[in-house]
Amino acid sequence: MPSKLEFSELFGKESNRGPPVVVKMENPNFDMLEFDSPTTAMRGGQAAKGKGKNAKQLTWVLLLKANKAVGCLTWLASGIMILLDAIKDRLILRKNVINASKGKLSRVIIGFLIFALIMLCVEVGAHTLGWQFSVPQWPTTLNVSSLPHALFMGWLFIRASYIAPALQKVTDFCIWLFLLQSLDRIILCMGAVYIKWKKIKPTPVSPSLESDDIEQPDKGHPMCLVQIPMCNERECYEQSISAVCQLDWPKNRILIQVLDDSSDEEVAGLIETEVKKWQQKGINIIYRHRTDRTGYKAGNMKAGMECDYVKDYEFVAIFDADFQPKSDFLKLTIPHFKDNPELGLVQARWAFVNKDENLLTRLQNINLSFHFEVEQQVNGVFLNFFGFNGTAGVWRIKALEDSGGWLDRTTVEDMDIAVRAHLKGWKFIFLNDVRSLCELPESYEAYRKQQHRWHSGPMQLFRLALPDIINAQISWSKKFNMIFLFFLLRKLILPFYSFTLFCIILPMTMFVPEATLPAWVVCYIPALMSLLNVIPSPKSFPFLVPFLLFENTMSVTKFNAMISGLFQLRSSHEWVVTKKSGSKGLADIAPSSTEAELLDEVKEVKTAPVVLGRGFSESGIDTLKQQAESSAPAPVPKKKGSRLYRKELTLSFLLLTAAGRSLLSAQGIHFYFLLFQGISFLVVGLDLIGEPTG
C-alpha cells in the first residue's frame, strides 16, 4: 500500500508515474519494504529540496509557538507579581487603603471562614495521625491519652449523622434551582436563534412620516419631547447635549428638556451655559434645575412632565447623561407607533464606547450584550414585554399617564413604570439594530453600586407590585411570566443560588465530604451557561473563563442587594449616580454609522502647545512669567486610595482554605474551581479588576 505522501501524489499534476512494487517478507523479524518506480528517483532532488523547505517552515512555526508560549508565561508572571505586590501594599503594609463598610453578611462569611480554618487544622492533624480511616462512631470510653481521638470520632459521627444530611438537602435544593434557571436561559437562547433564523424584525406599519400637506410638510412628524436627566455629570454633559441637539427632526416639532439635579453649583452653571449655547444656534432646548433631589431620577422626570407645555407633545424620548444617540434615532423609533395604538414603548439597544478599556468593561460588555441580544429581544418578540432600561427609549406619553406616571417608591423607576404599563395592556417593542452609545462603569466601586441598585430595586418593586399583578385584568399566562419568570427566577433565584451554591455550599462540602456536589454542577453546566452568554459578543471568547469566575464573584454583591431589597433594609433605598469617566467624545455622529464606525469616530482631545513670545512686552519678563505659569502642567492629582472589599476578601480566604482541604480528598475539578474562584475574589477584593489594560 502506498505511503501517505505517495498516495497524495497520485492526484498531483504528474500522471506518468509507474506503479510501485511492494515486497512483503513472511518472516516477522523483517519489516515491510517498498520499491518505487524509476520516476520517483528522478524526482529525488526535488523531494529533498521540498523536505528542506518544509523543515525550515516547521522550524519557523516552532519558533513562533515558542515565542507565544514565552509571551503567555511572561504575562502570567506579570499578573502574579501585580497580585503579590497588591497583597503586600494593600493587605500587609496598608498603603493608601480605604476599607469598605462592614455588614451583617460579612459577619456570616467570617463565621464560615473561622469554621473552615479550624476544620482544616483538624483534618490535617487527623490525616497526619491516620485517623481519617477510622469508622465514625460515638466514643464509649474516655481517657486522657485517647481524648483527642475520641473527640475527632465524635465529630465524625455528628458530621455524618446530622450535618451532612441537612447540608445535602440544601445542596439538592440549590441544584434544582440552578437547573431551572439554566433551562430558562437555554430556552431564551433557542428563542434568539429562532429569531435570527427566521429573520424576525419589528417593522413599522406605516414607516413614512411625510405629510401630504404642502403648506405644512412637517405635519407628519409627531410632536416629540426629549428629556436628559442628569446630576453632577461634569464629565459627559456636553457630549450628551450635543448629540441630542443633532437629532434629525423638524425643529418646530421637538423640545429638549435638560433636567438638572446637580448639587454642585459650578457643574450646574456649566450645563446651563451649554444649553444657552445651543439655544443661540436655534435649537428648541430648555434648562430646568431642581434645588432638592426628592425622588431622585423619577422625581426629576416627573417634575419635567408636569410642565404645562408637555400636553402639546405625543411622545417622550429619554437619554441618560452619558448617552449619545445617532441623529436618525427618532426616525428609526417613532414610526413604529404610527397606526399601532397599543404600543407604549420602543426600546433601543445600548452600545459601549469604552468596552475595551479594562477587564471589568469587557466582562460587562459580555453580560449586557446577552441581556439585549437574547433577553430583551426574545421577550419583546414573543411577549411584547420586558423591563424598560431607563434610557435610549421612546414612550407614548398617554401610556405613561395611563400607568400612573413616574413614581419614586423604588430605586428602579424604569422597571416600575414598565410593569405598571404592562398591567394596563400596553405593548413594548425592542429594536436590536438601533443603538445608542454610552459608557460602562470603569471602576469596580461604581459598578458595584450600580449592581446593588439594579438588584435591590426589583425586590422592592416585587413586594409592592405583587397584589397589583394578581388583581390585574390580564391573562394568567402573563401573570405567571411576570411573577415567576420576570421577578422570582431572574431577579431572586439567580443571585440566591449563585451565592449560596458556589460561595458557601461548595467550600462547606470540602469539610463535610459526606455531602457531595457533583462535578457537572461545579464545572460543566456553568461552563455551558457562560458559553451561551459569550455567543452574542463573539470577540469576547478569550474572556470566557474570567467571565464565569467574575459572575460568581459578583454574586455576593447581588445576593446582598437582593436580601436588602426584599426585607427593606436601609441600603435598599440608596440611589447613587453611576460615576462616568467622560474620556470619550462623540462629535458629528453619522446617521448611517454602524457601531464599529461610531467607535472609530471617537477622538481623544489633545491640548495645543502654548508658544511663548519674547518680544511681546517692553521687558518681556513679566509676560514670560505669566505665560510660563499658564502653560505649566497642572499639578498631578493625588492618587485615590485603593479600596479593600471585606466580603470579597473573606470569601477569597474561605475558598482558598477549602481548596487546600480538597487536596486531602484528591478532588481535582473541585480543587481547581475553588483555587481560581478564590483568586478571582482576591483580585476583586483588592480592587484590581478595574485596572486599565490598554
Side-chain angles (χ1 to χ4, degrees):
M1 183 176 181
S3 66
K4 184 176 180 181
L5 177 62
E6 291 170 346
F7 185 79
S8 63
E9 289 176 353
L10 290 174
F11 300 92
K13 294 181 180 180
E14 299 169 326
S15 59
N16 60 346
R17 181 183 175 193
V21 179
V22 180
V23 180
K24 184 177 181 182
M25 308 300 293
E26 297 295 336
N27 191 336
N29 295 325
F30 292 88
D31 295 326
M32 185 180 72
L33 302 176
E34 180 177 340
F35 298 94
D36 215 333
S37 63
T39 55
T40 305
M42 294 173 62
R43 298 196 306 272
Q46 296 178 359
K49 189 180 295 184
K51 289 180 180 178
K53 185 178 180 181
N54 290 337
K56 290 180 180 179
Q57 292 176 345
L58 180 61
T59 302
W60 278 109
V61 169
L62 292 175
L63 287 173
L64 290 173
K65 293 284 186 183
N67 181 63
K68 188 175 181 180
V70 171
C72 289
L73 290 175
T74 305
W75 174 83
L76 183 61
S78 175
I80 293 174
M81 291 304 298
I82 292 173
L83 182 59
L84 293 177
D85 287 341
I87 293 173
K88 182 186 73 172
D89 293 339
R90 301 179 187 182
L91 275 183
I92 301 174
L93 301 179
R94 313 285 293 181
K95 290 182 179 178
N96 202 22
V97 166
I98 302 173
N99 287 317
S101 59
K102 287 184 179 181
K104 294 181 180 178
L105 185 59
S106 294
R107 298 185 181 95
V108 173
I109 299 172
I110 290 173
F112 280 111
L113 175 60
I114 293 172
F115 169 79
L117 290 172
I118 294 173
M119 287 299 101
L120 180 62
C121 296
V122 171
E123 294 285 346
V124 170
H127 274 68
T128 304
L129 299 173
W131 292 350
Q132 75 277 12
F133 300 110
S134 305
V135 178
Q137 59 183 1
W138 190 256
T140 55
T141 60
L142 287 175
N143 54 61
V144 176
S145 60
S146 63
L147 182 60
H149 182 264
L151 292 175
F152 182 72
M153 289 298 100
W155 158 247
L156 292 184
F157 177 79
I158 295 173
R159 188 181 75 183
S161 302
Y162 301 103
I163 298 178
L167 182 60
Q168 189 64 57
K169 288 181 180 179
V170 176
T171 302
D172 294 340
F173 176 70
C174 289
I175 290 175
W176 278 110
L177 295 180
F178 176 43
L179 293 176
L180 190 63
Q181 200 277 331
S182 300
L183 178 63
D184 173 61
R185 181 153 297 193
I186 291 172
I187 293 173
L188 286 173
C189 290
M190 291 173 63
V193 171
Y194 180 81
I195 291 171
K196 200 167 188 66
W197 177 43
K198 291 292 185 179
K199 298 180 180 179
I200 299 174
K201 179 182 175 181
T203 54
V205 178
S206 303
S208 176
L209 294 173
E210 299 300 326
S211 175
D212 296 331
D213 191 341
I214 300 176
E215 296 180 356
Q216 295 179 320
D218 298 330
K219 191 176 180 180
H221 294 74
M223 298 289 285
C224 183
L225 178 69
V226 181
Q227 291 184 332
I228 313 176
M230 56 179 62
C231 179
N232 297 323
E233 310 280 0
R234 179 190 293 270
E235 298 82 6
C236 53
Y237 73 91
E238 190 174 0
Q239 301 164 9
S240 178
I241 294 174
S242 173
V244 171
C245 287
Q246 295 179 61
L247 287 172
D248 185 9
W249 203 256
K251 292 183 179 180
N252 61 334
R253 313 290 292 179
I254 187 174
L255 172 65
I256 302 170
Q257 282 185 327
V258 177
L259 306 175
D260 186 19
D261 263 6
S262 298
S263 57
D264 189 327
E265 294 182 1
E266 182 183 353
V267 175
L270 291 171
I271 296 173
E272 186 175 11
T273 302
E274 181 69 15
V275 170
K276 289 179 179 178
K277 183 182 78 174
W278 286 100
Q279 286 175 342
Q280 293 171 0
K281 294 181 180 180
I283 302 299
N284 194 10
I285 181 172
I286 60 174
Y287 173 79
R288 286 180 55 86
H289 181 254
R290 293 199 310 166
T291 55
D292 68 55
R293 291 190 63 203
T294 302
Y296 301 111
K297 181 181 175 181
N300 195 5
M301 291 189 294
K302 182 180 179 180
M305 295 296 294
E306 290 174 348
C307 297
D308 293 336
Y309 51 78
V310 172
K311 65 179 182 295
D312 298 328
Y313 293 84
E314 188 177 356
F315 302 103
V316 56
I318 302 169
F319 299 100
D320 281 350
D322 60 316
F323 276 72
Q324 299 91 36
K326 293 191 293 183
S327 59
D328 60 349
F329 182 89
L330 295 179
K331 289 191 172 181
L332 294 175
T333 54
I334 288 184
H336 289 271
F337 290 97
K338 192 175 181 181
D339 298 329
N340 192 357
E342 294 182 343
L343 183 61
L345 167 68
V346 174
Q347 173 71 60
R349 181 172 175 169
W350 301 357
F352 310 107
V353 70
N354 61 336
K355 64 183 179 181
D356 295 322
E357 185 67 24
N358 54 41
L359 179 59
L360 177 61
T361 57
R362 289 185 172 102
L363 300 180
Q364 290 179 70
N365 178 59
I366 295 174
N367 214 343
L368 289 171
S369 294
F370 180 86
H371 169 69
F372 287 111
E373 186 85 20
V374 179
E375 294 176 341
Q376 297 291 75
Q377 186 170 214
V378 170
N379 288 322
V381 168
F382 294 106
L383 301 175
N384 293 122
F385 167 70
F386 47 81
F388 174 46
N389 293 117
T391 178
V394 181
W395 277 94
R396 190 189 297 272
I397 293 180
K398 183 180 178 182
L400 286 177
E401 294 173 346
D402 182 48
S403 306
W406 297 107
L407 299 180
D408 58 1
R409 56 181 182 170
T410 71
T411 58
V412 283
E413 72 293 325
D414 44 10
M415 186 182 293
D416 189 356
I417 188 65
V419 168
R420 286 183 281 118
H422 183 60
L423 295 180
K424 289 289 185 177
W426 293 98
K427 295 181 179 180
F428 305 162
I429 283 180
F430 175 74
L431 301 180
N432 192 50
D433 56 345
V434 179
R435 308 190 178 198
S436 180
L437 280 174
C438 61
E439 275 191 32
L440 290 165
E442 295 181 5
S443 70
Y444 179 68
E445 177 66 13
Y447 180 63
R448 180 170 165 267
K449 289 180 178 178
Q450 181 197 68
Q451 292 300 304
H452 187 279
R453 176 163 51 87
W454 285 6
H455 285 81
S456 66
M459 289 298 96
Q460 295 176 340
L461 180 60
F462 179 63
R463 288 169 54 102
L464 296 170
L466 183 58
D468 296 332
I469 297 173
I470 295 174
N471 298 323
Q473 300 299 315
I474 57 176
S475 65
W476 281 101
S477 60
K478 291 183 178 180
K479 292 181 182 181
F480 174 80
N481 170 69
M482 187 170 286
I483 294 174
F484 182 72
L485 295 179
F486 185 75
F487 277 113
L488 291 180
L489 188 59
R490 297 167 190 164
K491 303 296 188 295
L492 189 149
I493 291 177
L494 177 58
F496 172 78
Y497 85 75
S498 296
F499 172 74
T500 308
L501 191 62
F502 296 109
C503 299
I504 300 298
I505 291 178
L506 176 58
M508 287 301 102
T509 56
M510 298 297 102
F511 300 100
V512 186
E514 293 84 0
T516 58
L517 193 60
W520 56 268
V521 175
V522 176
C523 180
Y524 304 129
I525 292 186
L528 174 62
M529 294 301 104
S530 297
L531 181 63
L532 294 178
N533 263 89
V534 174
I535 288 176
S537 52
K539 292 183 179 180
S540 301
F541 269 102
F543 304 98
L544 176 64
V545 174
F547 174 75
L548 169 61
L549 297 175
F550 182 66
E551 281 300 289
N552 288 334
T553 304
M554 283 303 300
S555 66
V556 61
T557 297
K558 296 175 181 179
F559 176 82
N560 189 41
M562 181 268 292
I563 294 296
S564 174
L566 190 63
F567 296 101
Q568 294 289 295
L569 303 181
R570 184 178 60 182
S571 61
S572 65
H573 300 283
E574 293 179 357
W575 213 109
V576 181
V577 178
T578 304
K579 185 173 177 55
K580 320 295 191 311
S581 66
S583 58
K584 308 292 192 296
L586 300 171
D588 301 325
I589 303 175
S592 60
S593 298
T594 62
E595 181 181 352
E597 291 170 346
L598 285 173
L599 293 176
D600 289 338
E601 293 177 12
V602 174
K603 304 294 184 181
E604 293 290 344
V605 180
K606 295 184 178 181
T607 305
V610 177
V611 180
L612 301 180
R614 290 186 178 272
F616 184 77
S617 65
E618 193 171 357
S619 64
I621 297 176
D622 294 337
T623 304
L624 282 172
K625 214 171 182 184
Q626 293 174 2
Q627 291 186 1
E629 289 175 357
S630 63
S631 63
V636 179
K638 187 178 179 181
K639 187 178 179 182
K640 294 183 178 179
S642 301
R643 291 183 176 271
L644 291 183
Y645 299 99
R646 295 178 180 273
K647 287 190 287 289
E648 286 80 356
L649 286 173
T650 308
L651 279 170
S652 169
F653 299 144
L654 173 61
L655 293 170
L656 293 175
T657 304
R661 171 61 182 87
S662 69
L663 288 175
L664 301 178
S665 304
Q667 296 183 354
I669 291 179
H670 294 72
F671 166 74
Y672 288 112
F673 180 86
L674 288 166
L675 176 64
F676 290 117
Q677 190 63 69
I679 294 174
S680 175
F681 269 106
L682 184 60
V683 169
V684 172
L686 292 172
D687 199 17
L688 295 176
I689 187 68
E691 297 289 336
T693 57

